[in-house]
Amino acid sequence: MPDLALLQARNAARWHNAKLTRASEFGPVAVRLVAPPAKARYRAIEARTGVPWFFIAVAHQRESSQDWSRSLAQGDPWNRTSTHEPKGRGPFASFEDAAVDALKNCAPYAARNTDWSIGGLLTMLEQYNGLGYSNRGLASPYIWSGTDQYLKGKYIADGKFDPTVVDKQLGCAGLIVAMMQIESSIKFGPDDEPAVVAMKPLIAPSAPSPVKGSISAVIAGFLSSIFKRAA
């Protein structure tokens, strides 16, 4: 069993030193995760569990690319009994009910956590995915993919590790950094701010001007905020 206090310290140190290596990919995903309809659903789960909504958002992205038909626990359909770990959960009446079950009733029982500092939050996310990487002395791609803290190595199935595979998904830490650029409610202590340079490589995409009031216009406004803050 890893020393969780040591892992928390390591994750906090990585957070302070990390630079995004796939920066242009994080912004659009962050916009989707903080969009008002999604945020409202995550907030509703936070109210039932005490788990910060942005923890729920990035776990949702990692588990199923924010697919609302899939469970937060492992990405299986929530309207059926799960076949991946944790197995035997459900079926549930809604994504929200499945998420509450995952956070309250499944290891590592995130709803019981009381330390939501950046080190505590990232370590809880790592436990949520599994401590196999920490057991190997590696940075978890679940947290650090898309940053310079992760190079390669991935569990390609439950219990099956391949040291040559590079995780193509975006990690939770970089997603949180990107979300913080456009969502002021995501805050940590004064000693837990990410590296300011982390968002510098972002390049604003060129696209036709969206119709005022449309969903595209709302997303464009979020993206504009990212690029202004990153400049």
Side-chain angles (χ1 to χ4, degrees), residues 37-121:
K39 180 181 173 183
R41 296 185 74 172
Y42 297 137
R43 283 283 199 190
I45 298 166
E46 177 184 45
R48 294 171 65 182
T49 63
V51 177
W53 70 270
F54 47 91
F55 176 108
I56 300 165
V58 297
H60 190 196
Q61 176 63 27
R62 279 294 308 198
E63 294 299 329
S64 66
S65 298
Q66 205 188 21
D67 185 338
W68 297 96
S69 71
R70 301 281 172 163
S71 174
L72 188 69
Q74 71 297 81
D76 286 351
W78 49 256
N79 62 349
R80 304 176 203 163
T81 302
S82 63
T83 58
H84 296 89
E85 294 293 343
K87 297 179 181 179
R89 311 307 300 178
F92 298 97
S94 66
F95 171 82
E96 285 79 0
D97 286 349
V100 170
D101 177 73
L103 298 169
K104 282 189 171 183
N105 303 322
C106 301
Y109 308 100
R112 302 179 190 176
N113 186 46
T114 58
D115 181 359
W116 295 111
S117 66
I118 192 59
L121 182 141

Side-chain angles (χ1 to χ4, degrees), residues 20 26-27 30 173-183 199 226:
L20 304 188
F26 281 97
L175 288 169
I176 292 171
V177 170
M179 292 165 70
M180 290 176 73
Q181 304 301 309
I182 52 178
E183 177 52 66
M199 297 300 290
I226 294 176

Side-chain angles (χ1 to χ4, degrees), residues 15 18 20 26 58 118 122 125 142-145 147 170-178 194:
W15 171 262
L20 304 188
F26 281 97
V58 297
I118 192 59
L122 293 177
L125 279 166
Y142 193 88
I143 311 300
W144 299 108
S145 182
T147 79
L170 297 173
C172 294
L175 288 169
I176 292 171
V177 170

Side-chain angles (χ1 to χ4, degrees), residues 5-17:
L6 178 59
L7 180 58
Q8 182 171 327
R10 285 176 174 168
N11 277 329
R14 288 170 179 145
W15 171 262
H16 291 301
N17 293 313

